[in-house]
Amino acid sequence: AQANIGVIGLAVMGSNLARNLASREGNSVAIFNRSYQKTETLLAEHPEAEFVASKTYAEFAASLSTPRTALIMVQAGKGTDAVIDELLGVFEPGDIIVDGGNALFTDTIRREKAVRETGINFVGAGISGGEEGALLGPSIMPGGSDESWVTLGPILKSIAAVAEGEPCVTHVGHDGAGHFVKMIHNGIEYADMQLIAEAYDLIRRGTGKTPTEISDIFTEWNKGELESYLIEITAEVLRQMDASTGRPLVDVILDQAGSKGTGVWTVQTALDLGIPVSGIAEAVFARSLSSKPAQREAAASLPGPSSQVAGDDESFIEDVRLALYASKVIAYSQGFDAIVAGAEQYGWNIEKGEIAKIWRGGCIIRARFLNRITEAYAENPGLVALVTAPFFVDVMTKTQDAWRRVVSGAAQSGIPTPAFSSSLAYYDGLRADRLPAALVQGQRDFFGAHTYKRIDKEGTFHTLWSGDRTEIESVGSSH
Ligand code: 6PG
């Protein structure tokens, strides 16, 4: 046995992680791929890396020191189960199998339970940062047992991104906790991307500025409180010109956004948990709407507003920046609500502040203001809504007027801003003194005798709507 860590699946993420591992002091990396050709390519292209290549699972296991640790980087789904089955045949109790793909956390819970019966550890680890992150330092969100973390922790710390001196990895919680948090990360990523896209669209349609000019605006924004990876790459994408047409690349890319499913999972899970993640949901729906060409074509002649709201470009752009900031805070606040609810539902002890910390570097949603989230949870670990932490109250105070101007102006001008608008509606709903949910309860009681509670006394009540309309106290709980 010569290697202390193995990687299975040598597509770009797997290869880059293997190279990252091999580049760190003290690591020797076993590598395996279903077709040996990919292994050979990796060996040939990176003679500098200390790889131990294998052609079979048995050789792979024999090349690893114990406890054996293998990182699976194959396409999430059935492929993962097949690799796990192979490893179970050649690994021993105490060994560790890590799934680094974007697995659905409930699959991870199922797999962990099954693998644990054999005495082998199974860890679902979310890995964010794309190809570059994998090579240079990703943000890593591992779940799994405490026992596995003893071996795995130092290895993952050695390859993770570093933010303010700290590695962007923490033991998130047991079994599926890591993949759950990675799923929420991706949900926030969807919201963040959609919000930035709406900001771009508002400025483009609202001021007529070119993508290059808007790129400069994003570059400027990236120097302030919105500083983040996604703002940075947005500026790059907008600056890119298409070689064949000479037009901005963004104008020749088909405007139909795809997805691989993690955003949908976030929303489905949040629906089950009863957590409004409206910003994320709108981002998912915006991608769905974009990908309906027949409907869009049929609807293209529907009437729009007769005039656009006009105003001063500079103050409008500043309003959009503030609206983006406010909506972004809401997206993170909703994402953290989902983490809290998931942790409660699945029995995970997730440190919210630690999650914000490991998202400061390496991952797609890395951003300057994540430090503020860590601070908010450090000040008050029982914070019931992130947006109510003092720092974020200040942000809302500073941004809300601009946010309202942007959303109402967009509505009047016919520019769709689903994520901006729904985030504002969520914010106003959350802070409302009274909600019309009282009326909804009345309606439910009217047609279905679903009962209601009162603000002035304990108990459950029903009005005899089809009788004399007196109120009776209902036995049994409201439903
Ligand atoms: C990351 C990314 C990564 C990937 C997602 C998004 O954190 O590195 O989230 O996991 O880009 O799969 O994919 P879709 O937009 O295709 O759903």
Side-chain angles (χ1 to χ4, degrees):
Q2 312 143 56
N4 63 319
I5 172 87
V7 177
I8 296 174
L10 301 176
V12 60
M13 287 295 286
S15 296
N16 283 0
L17 282 165
R19 287 172 57 200
N20 185 350
L21 282 160
S23 73
R24 311 289 164 160
E25 188 72 33
N27 282 342
S28 162
V29 185
I31 51 173
F32 177 86
N33 194 71
R34 197 160 49 143
S35 87
Y36 190 68
Q37 213 185 350
K38 271 211 173 120
T39 311
E40 277 181 322
T41 310
L42 184 60
L43 288 171
E45 286 176 357
H46 296 284
E48 80 288 354
E50 200 177 320
F51 290 135
V52 186
S54 297
K55 284 185 178 154
T56 65
Y57 279 99
E59 270 179 53
F60 175 77
S63 73
L64 283 164
S65 55
T66 54
R68 297 179 186 82
T69 308
L71 174 59
I72 306 177
M73 292 303 302
V74 301
Q75 186 129 43
K78 287 207 170 63
T80 309
D81 285 310
V83 175
I84 293 170
D85 280 349
E86 294 281 1
L87 287 176
L88 291 182
V90 292
F91 272 25
E92 292 170 319
D95 290 349
I96 305 163
I97 300 174
V98 186
D99 174 15
N102 265 334
L104 179 59
F105 75 98
T106 45
D107 284 342
T108 303
I109 292 176
R110 166 180 62 78
R111 288 173 180 139
E112 200 272 342
K113 201 162 166 234
V115 173
R116 197 189 327 137
E117 313 245 297
T118 69
I120 294 170
N121 294 289
F122 182 79
V123 177
I127 302 181
S128 177
E131 297 172 16
E132 194 182 281
L135 184 62
L136 303 174
S139 171
I140 312 175
M141 294 148 251
S145 66
D146 296 336
E147 184 195 352
S148 60
W149 179 242
V150 174
T151 307
L152 204 54
I155 299 174
L156 297 183
K157 282 180 187 167
S158 78
I159 59 162
V162 175
E164 296 175 33
E166 294 173 284
C168 295
V169 56
T170 189
H171 186 207
V172 171
H174 292 159
D175 54 65
H179 274 144
F180 182 89
V181 166
K182 174 59 170 46
M183 177 187 76
I184 302 296
H185 164 283
N186 279 32
I188 295 174
E189 171 186 306
Y190 273 55
D192 222 343
M193 292 166 71
Q194 173 65 23
L195 290 168
I196 293 171
E198 289 178 16
Y200 150 77
D201 201 30
L202 280 162
I203 297 175
R204 182 116 192 234
R205 292 171 63 173
T207 70
K209 287 195 185 299
T210 64
T212 314
E213 288 166 334
I214 302 172
S215 167
D216 292 341
I217 293 170
F218 279 105
T219 302
E220 209 42 49
W221 288 1
N222 204 37
K223 293 177 187 154
E225 50 212 348
L226 282 178
E227 181 190 330
S228 62
Y229 173 72
L230 284 169
I231 294 275
E232 181 191 323
I233 65 159
T234 299
E236 303 235 7
V237 174
L238 289 175
R239 192 169 299 139
Q240 184 73 18
M241 300 304 279
D242 175 48
S244 61
T245 59
R247 296 171 60 192
L249 180 67
V250 73
D251 286 349
V252 295
I253 296 179
L254 188 67
D255 59 344
Q256 298 178 18
S259 84
K260 293 196 199 71
T262 49
V264 174
W265 295 344
T266 308
V267 179
Q268 283 171 333
T269 304
L271 287 172
D272 287 340
L273 293 169
I275 302 299
V277 291
S278 47
I280 300 169
E282 289 298 349
V284 173
F285 289 143
R287 291 194 192 187
S288 320
L289 184 151
S290 78
S291 303
K292 298 277 178 288
Q295 284 191 335
R296 287 176 60 189
E297 203 189 318
S301 56
L302 290 176
S306 41
S307 64
Q308 298 265 316
V309 180
D312 167 57
D313 281 2
E314 216 156 284
S315 60
F316 173 68
I317 291 166
E318 178 59 6
D319 276 0
V320 172
R321 188 185 73 85
L322 293 169
L324 175 56
Y325 192 19
S327 307
K328 188 177 161 105
V329 169
I330 296 300
Y332 279 73
S333 193
Q334 294 180 341
F336 274 89
D337 284 351
I339 291 178
V340 171
E344 200 172 296
Q345 171 84 9
Y346 294 96
W348 298 317
N349 181 17
I350 300 182
E351 295 273 353
K352 276 89 67 187
E354 288 298 306
I355 301 305
K357 268 190 177 178
I358 65 166
W359 286 349
R360 286 177 309 174
C363 68
I364 304 295
I365 63 171
R366 59 186 183 259
R368 181 197 280 199
F369 94 134
L370 281 158
N371 269 325
R372 306 285 90 77
I373 298 181
T374 302
E375 284 161 16
Y377 283 114
E379 265 165 40
N380 177 5
L383 193 62
V384 291
L386 186 58
V387 68
T388 62
F391 176 82
F392 294 109
V393 173
D394 284 349
V395 173
M396 293 300 144
T397 308
K398 202 175 83 179
T399 56
Q400 57 128 13
D401 282 334
W403 196 10
R404 295 180 195 289
R405 282 192 294 272
V406 168
V407 167
S408 55
Q412 283 174 28
S413 303
I415 301 170
T417 54
F420 273 31
S421 315
S422 79
S423 304
L424 179 57
Y426 169 87
Y427 173 74
D428 282 332
L430 205 58
R431 57 174 207 89
D433 189 26
R434 286 276 297 163
L435 286 170
L439 176 58
V440 171
Q441 285 296 79
Q443 293 163 334
R444 293 177 69 236
D445 189 57
F446 187 103
F447 63 67
H450 292 298
T451 75
Y452 51 86
K453 291 193 189 304
R454 296 181 54 102
I455 59 169
D456 52 359
K457 54 183 173 185
E458 288 289 307
T460 300
F461 301 90
H462 169 57
T463 291
L464 298 168
W465 296 104
S466 46
D468 63 3
R469 302 211 165 177
T470 52
E471 182 180 76
I472 57 165
E473 184 152 7
S474 145
V475 278
S477 60
S478 70
H479 52 99

